[in-house]
Amino acid sequence: MNIEAIYKESGALLSGHFILSSGKHSPNYLQSAKVLEDPKRAELLADALAKIIKEAGIEVETVCAPALGGVIAGYELARALGVRSIFVERKGGAMELRRGFEVAKGEKVLICEDIITTGGSALEAATIIESLGAEVVAFAALANRGFCSRYGIDKEPKLECKLPTTKPLFALEDFEFEIYDPSDCPLCKEGSEAVKPGSRGN
Ligand code: ZN
């Protein structure tokens, strides 16, 4: 399956001249939610991710996503794995498990995002789940921005990666983009104007 082509077709992988949430400029941008706009495509991607997780022999009882970005990916992955789907959400700055969702002591939980950038939200979700006594067995995302290293790819994580190296990160593809300082951006030098995409891009 050509993941990059699927992201392009769905309008999730953009080419042009963008201002990232960090303030840096890039010729590419991932609008992750767009790839999940078509439920059939979401199902296809989640099935592929579930297959990798199963083949790695990871036992999962529950998928937990950090809201809002991870919810659809998490739900689809839970369906593909045949397990429960829950999410944590931000309430006054901190992530919490709300809405009557519970985890049991020792329950095997996989944290799922739509995209892992530095993994900050996924790590926060994992910390809450573990504080409630459950066990975080792995992390997963449809796409990986290349700061963290994903299962099956022999590459050191970059300093920006916040995920623990003791647990696997499953993802379908690495999306590493050129990133420029605005003062030294070749696209700016060519005279094009950088645009800010719709969201934070994670
Ligand atoms: Zn620029």
Side-chain angles (χ1 to χ4, degrees):
M1 199 190 325
N2 187 335
I3 302 297
E4 195 178 313
I6 292 174
Y7 270 73
K8 266 190 191 146
E9 276 161 27
S10 60
L13 175 56
L14 307 176
S15 299
H17 184 190
F18 303 101
I19 305 172
L20 306 180
S21 58
S22 61
K24 302 234 160 116
H25 291 190
S26 175
N28 293 101
Y29 192 80
L30 268 188
Q31 196 63 276
S32 300
K34 284 286 281 178
V35 83
L36 300 170
E37 195 175 39
D38 174 3
K40 284 217 163 55
R41 193 182 281 132
E43 185 182 14
L44 192 77
L45 293 171
D47 281 349
L49 189 56
K51 187 165 174 268
I52 304 170
I53 295 164
K54 281 185 199 158
E55 282 174 1
I58 303 289
E59 196 192 324
V60 179
E61 291 171 284
T62 296
V63 172
C64 176
L68 181 65
V71 170
I72 297 172
Y75 181 84
E76 283 295 332
L77 181 62
R79 174 155 57 180
L81 289 169
V83 302
R84 200 159 73 94
S85 168
I86 61 174
F87 58 86
V88 291
E89 60 198 293
R90 218 169 275 290
K91 167 88 175 164
M95 288 255 197
E96 286 178 18
L97 191 61
R98 298 165 59 86
R99 301 175 195 259
F101 288 145
E102 288 175 352
V103 286
K105 280 240 171 323
E107 186 171 346
K108 295 181 187 326
V109 178
L110 177 143
I111 307 293
C112 182
E113 272 277 26
D114 53 349
I115 177 165
I116 291 285
T117 306
T118 62
S121 299
L123 179 65
E124 263 188 87
T127 305
I128 297 154
I129 292 301
E130 285 185 334
S131 75
L132 297 170
E135 182 195 352
V136 171
V137 291
F139 295 88
L142 299 175
N144 179 35
R145 277 287 276 105
F147 296 107
C148 297
S149 71
R150 67 183 166 112
Y151 176 85
I153 302 290
D154 188 19
K155 212 153 106 184
E156 285 294 308
K158 295 188 180 154
L159 283 175
E160 291 93 334
C161 181
K162 295 187 176 121
L163 296 182
T165 51
T166 49
K167 297 177 202 285
L169 165 65
F170 296 94
L172 294 173
E173 182 72 82
D174 289 332
F175 288 93
E176 289 186 70
F177 303 144
E178 303 280 342
I179 294 172
Y180 309 115
D181 207 74
S183 62
D184 194 31
C185 171
L187 301 165
C188 284
K189 280 177 188 155
E190 282 167 17
S192 93
E193 194 183 332
V195 295
K196 201 158 197 161
S199 85
R200 267 177 5 93
N202 55 0

